[in-house]
Amino acid sequence: MRTHEMRLAGRTVTGHVVETQEDLPAFADWAGRHTEFGYDTETTSLEVYKPGFRVRAAQFSAGDQTWFLPVERHPRFAWYTTTTLRHAKQLYIHNAAFDLQVADRHLGVPLAELFPKTIDTGIISRLVDSRARKEGGPGHKLEELTEVFIDPVAAKQIKGSVGQQCKELGLKKADYFEQVSLDDEIFQMYALMDPVLAWVLAKTLLPKVPDSARHLIGYEHEIARICSDISKQGFLLDQPYTNELATRLRQEETWWQMEIEREVEKLGFIDVDEFNPNSTDNVFEALVYMGHLEFKQTPTGKPQVDDDLLEHLAEGGMYFARCIKEMRKAGKWAGTWPESFLANADEHGRCHANINTLQARTGRMSITGIPAQTLPSGDWIVRRCFLADEGHVMASIDYAAQELRMAAVLSGDERMYRAFELGEDLHQITADAAGVTRKIGKMANFLVCYGGGWKALVEQAKIPEAMARKTIAGFNKAYPGVSKLAKEMTATAGKQGYIETITGRRLYVDSARAYSAINYAIQSASRDVTARGLIKADRAGLTSFLRLPVHDEVVASLPKNQANDLAKEIGECLRTQIKGVDFVTEPEVAARSWGSLYGADH
DNA sequence: CAAGGTGGCGCC
DNA sequence: AAAGGGCGCCACCTTG
């Protein structure tokens, strides 16, 4: 047994490192005397479901005592870990979805057993303040929270120690956690401190959750458990198709690249070997050389070379611009989607998305691993990569105009209420009030919910200033309640620095952008509509069918012979009424692939 | 050389 | 009067 003395916020913390099996009785004795623990695991990587993933160590803390178990050394260390997890009545974990999926998959303790007795300090910190560091908030990483709420010096040391060690050992951070010796003293101290921080953070942050948001604590843990179940289940990848798609896109990229080389040589303005079509700077120089001198500016003042410009030039007959655009697209698509799916698949060909249930400052979820929220929807080739399980078909259940319905709820706008009740076309109503096309009316509807003004409409719809002003005025005339709500929320945000959503969530708003308050309120409450739906679907026993939540939609894999009934059942779970507004859902069942919901497989 | 910022583009 | 919200990922480029 080795011990380390560490300092945290003026107190001494004692770390105990279990080195051999002879040390286990002392651990068991200590653990048996407690029921409440901080908990953390050290693992080879963050990819829980990838072949080769291993748990390296597990750490438990209580008060100023903390213990390190070298799980990878012998199954008995893992056994003591699982026994302690089961014996615990209360666990404090930072980003519990990770550690609990690790416990489920690699230590054999189910998510359903541990989540109900866990307080996740990641969740709590987001209920206290949802802003990341770069948004002016305290952030949500362990080091960031420690710095702000516990001990800035300790936070720096913890972050610095691993960084410095990486440098000394010549390792990247990812390699460090895989390769570092469990006997390494600095690693041990780093690992020992984490569960202590989770414990202290839980005690420090829980009282800071605003009263209005306290009821969300249990709710958010339930959502985190459901989304962990969805991640664990995984989404079946059609590997042959995905391989073929990746190859095809790379071939397209190469073909366009050769066209570009020919063009560059023909023009003779620069060495072919030095021209990189993926470099915005290079393309800018080339365009200038070719006589194009008018560029919009990026937010930092650099010349903008985007798709809009390239398309404009291509339409004007510049083949070079067409080539750049097509090459960029093929390369980006190949790397972002099919290649990353293939790299992410587990040994059974399933991709496990990482669902961050409270990622955005509005509480919206984000999905990494499979960037499922950004797959092209106008073209089915990418979604075609994913399949329903054997004997299943794909279904999607989405909310009809979820955010506009929320705008109606929050504003109480009579015209909007009536439109939803009678099934009228809200976009046409705006269009009629302004004397513009439905398409522009629709853009205006969303724009106002995003806090935008007429200038943005000029850009997006490519219409003259006067028409854009007229359209926004038309919206205000059609739905005066929404206009009023936007003004009120902006004022509230400006005055108190934050708004409160109808679900009680406190959202801080930058004073320079107080106008975004209405969007925060709509987006956040809409997220909670979907999240409440997920809980209802879970309680109805439907979680194992769910593959992904995507903002206002849920994707599901359903047994073929009951697909329609199950899709309707999920739809009923998601459907809800708020202040007389019916949040209608639209179940849709297609064939085997996700792409079949977008026109593939016909 | 790794980490972080920026530009660009995919979605709701 | 004017104000487009929220993300993730890739490639490039700068920084330390």
Side-chain angles (χ1 to χ4, degrees):
Chain A
M1 180 97 71
R2 192 198 278 185
T3 59
H4 299 291
E5 298 279 308
M6 299 171 288
R7 299 289 295 172
L8 182 68
R11 296 179 309 136
T12 300
V13 173
T14 310
H16 309 263
V17 178
V18 171
E19 293 179 300
T20 66
Q21 294 190 42
E22 282 73 65
D23 299 335
L24 281 168
F27 170 74
D29 179 55
W30 172 81
R33 283 184 279 113
H34 294 89
T35 54
E36 192 181 359
F37 299 94
Y39 176 67
D40 184 43
T41 34
E42 301 303 331
T43 58
T44 48
S45 76
L46 299 176
E47 285 139 336
V48 180
Y49 300 95
K50 265 204 187 162
F53 178 95
R54 286 190 338 273
V55 182
R56 302 208 61 201
Q59 308 96 258
F60 290 90
S61 75
D64 55 7
Q65 303 294 308
T66 175
W67 288 74
F68 176 100
L69 298 172
V71 172
E72 74 175 7
R73 288 240 171 99
H74 193 277
R76 269 176 68 80
F77 299 122
W79 187 86
Y80 273 78
T81 303
T82 59
T83 304
T84 307
L85 285 171
R86 295 204 137 119
H87 147 81
K89 294 222 164 20
Q90 176 76 69
L91 294 168
Y92 303 113
I93 309 178
H94 192 66
N95 293 337
F98 173 77
D99 295 281
L100 295 189
Q101 283 182 72
V102 170
D104 180 297
R105 175 89 164 193
H106 300 277
L107 299 171
V109 193
L111 288 164
E113 184 180 338
L114 297 183
F115 248 115
K117 57 184 187 182
T118 295
I119 292 283
D120 178 350
T121 48
I123 289 174
I124 304 302
S125 73
R126 285 171 164 87
L127 293 176
V128 171
D129 189 330
S130 63
R131 293 171 299 171
R133 268 292 156 93
K134 62 175 192 303
E135 293 160 340
H140 309 109
K141 293 179 187 155
L142 203 56
E143 291 91 356
E144 292 171 339
L145 295 166
T146 301
E147 185 195 333
V148 175
F149 295 107
I150 306 181
D151 181 346
V153 178
K156 267 220 167 63
Q157 277 171 358
I158 293 158
K159 193 180 161 79
S161 66
V162 168
Q164 202 185 331
Q165 253 209 317
C166 285
K167 258 188 195 157
E168 282 168 19
L169 299 170
L171 291 172
K172 282 185 261 185
K173 253 196 178 156
D175 297 330
Y176 173 80
F177 286 102
E178 194 182 341
Q179 296 172 21
V180 66
S181 163
L182 291 191
D183 294 322
D184 186 291
E185 195 170 317
I186 293 176
F187 175 70
Q188 287 174 353
M189 291 186 15
Y190 168 89
L192 283 162
M193 194 51 105
D194 279 358
V196 178
L197 297 175
W199 170 291
V200 178
L201 276 174
K203 311 270 173 187
T204 310
L205 291 175
L206 275 168
K208 294 188 193 290
V209 175
D211 284 344
S212 63
R214 298 204 75 80
H215 70 284
L216 296 173
I217 294 174
Y219 160 85
E220 288 302 340
H221 283 79
E222 198 169 352
I223 294 162
R225 196 265 306 151
I226 295 165
C227 289
S228 294
D229 272 326
I230 295 173
S231 291
K232 173 190 168 185
Q233 182 81 33
F235 203 163
L236 182 61
L237 189 65
D238 184 339
Q239 285 170 308
Y241 171 84
T242 307
N243 260 313
E244 196 185 300
L245 176 63
T247 308
R248 200 173 81 220
L249 289 168
R250 284 299 177 196
Q251 279 169 350
E252 273 178 36
E253 183 190 23
T254 307
W255 191 87
W256 285 109
Q257 186 166 12
M258 280 156 58
E259 290 293 286
I260 291 167
E261 283 173 17
R262 289 222 323 245
E263 288 291 302
V264 169
E265 266 172 15
K266 207 156 60 184
L267 295 164
F269 66 89
I270 197 168
D271 190 338
V272 175
D273 297 333
E274 281 174 28
F275 180 75
N276 181 348
N278 279 319
S279 159
T280 306
D281 294 357
N282 281 192
V283 174
F284 164 70
E285 286 160 22
L287 293 176
V288 170
Y289 182 86
M290 291 161 81
H292 182 80
L293 299 171
E294 278 175 42
F295 292 88
K296 278 192 261 176
Q297 293 201 337
T298 69
T300 52
K302 289 170 71 176
Q304 189 160 43
V305 185
D306 61 8
D307 248 19
D308 267 7
L309 174 66
L310 293 172
E311 182 58 36
H312 172 74
L313 294 172
E315 275 169 12
M318 190 197 284
Y319 183 58
F320 176 75
R322 166 76 53 218
C323 297
I324 296 285
K325 187 168 178 259
E326 296 298 332
M327 192 201 124
R328 273 188 190 176
K329 184 182 164 183
K332 175 82 194 282
W333 279 40
T336 307
W337 295 310
E339 287 172 2
S340 92
F341 301 158
L342 291 165
N344 264 308
D346 69 11
E347 65 269 40
H348 303 110
R350 300 185 81 89
C351 289
H352 302 268
N354 178 29
I355 305 170
N356 303 302
T357 54
L358 278 173
Q359 180 63 26
R361 65 189 289 176
T362 56
R364 249 198 185 181
M365 300 185 189
S366 82
I367 304 184
T368 61
I370 310 173
Q373 294 166 330
T374 64
L375 305 189
S377 58
D379 187 342
W380 51 259
I381 60 170
V382 174
R383 288 178 204 252
R384 171 66 186 75
C385 294
F386 290 97
L387 297 176
D389 290 352
E390 188 70 44
H392 285 211
V393 291
M394 289 303 308
S396 82
I397 297 90
D398 63 345
Y399 289 91
Q402 190 191 49
E403 292 203 337
L404 281 175
R405 279 186 159 77
M406 189 53 73
V409 169
L410 301 184
S411 67
D413 184 275
E414 282 175 32
R415 185 71 189 88
M416 220 176 236
Y417 260 74
R418 190 148 43 97
F420 280 124
E421 256 169 53
L422 303 175
E424 290 179 278
D425 182 340
L426 276 91
H427 305 320
Q428 192 61 51
I429 292 172
T430 306
D432 291 345
V436 295
T437 63
R438 181 180 182 279
K439 200 177 157 196
I440 294 175
K442 182 177 176 180
M443 285 182 188
N445 282 352
F446 285 115
L447 214 55
V448 173
C449 292
Y450 291 161
W454 59 266
K455 270 195 173 170
L457 192 57
V458 170
E459 282 291 309
Q460 192 186 328
K462 299 192 168 48
I463 54 173
E465 196 178 307
M467 191 191 279
R469 286 176 187 273
K470 191 178 71 173
T471 309
I472 298 298
F475 178 96
N476 292 335
K477 197 174 86 187
Y479 307 114
V482 179
S483 270
K484 186 162 160 265
L485 174 71
K487 281 201 191 89
E488 287 167 0
M489 299 222 64
T490 305
T492 305
K495 200 164 61 197
Q496 62 183 21
Y498 63 86
I499 59 150
E500 192 183 304
T501 70
I502 46 164
T503 60
R505 215 175 279 285
R506 178 179 293 187
L507 302 178
Y508 292 92
V509 184
D510 303 348
S511 59
R513 297 192 310 154
Y515 59 84
S516 46
I518 184 173
N519 176 253
Y520 286 15
I522 293 172
Q523 191 182 104
S524 187
S526 297
R527 177 275 191 195
D528 281 326
V529 167
T530 308
R532 271 164 50 174
L534 284 176
I535 289 178
K536 268 167 81 186
D538 182 72
R539 290 181 181 165
L542 297 165
T543 301
S544 66
F545 297 120
L546 306 184
R547 290 297 169 269
L548 291 169
V550 187
H551 301 313
D552 64 344
E553 174 192 4
V554 170
V555 181
S557 167
L558 304 174
K560 202 170 185 175
N561 56 4
Q562 337 163 34
N564 286 319
D565 289 345
L566 283 168
K568 270 187 207 141
E569 203 183 327
I570 295 170
E572 280 309 308
C573 288
L574 298 195
R575 185 175 172 188
T576 189
Q577 295 244 345
I578 305 174
K579 293 189 185 167
V581 175
D582 193 356
F583 283 73
V584 178
T585 53
E586 296 170 338
E588 197 184 335
V589 175
R592 181 88 193 270
S593 85
W594 193 3
S596 66
L597 285 159
Y598 294 78
D601 304 340
H602 287 305

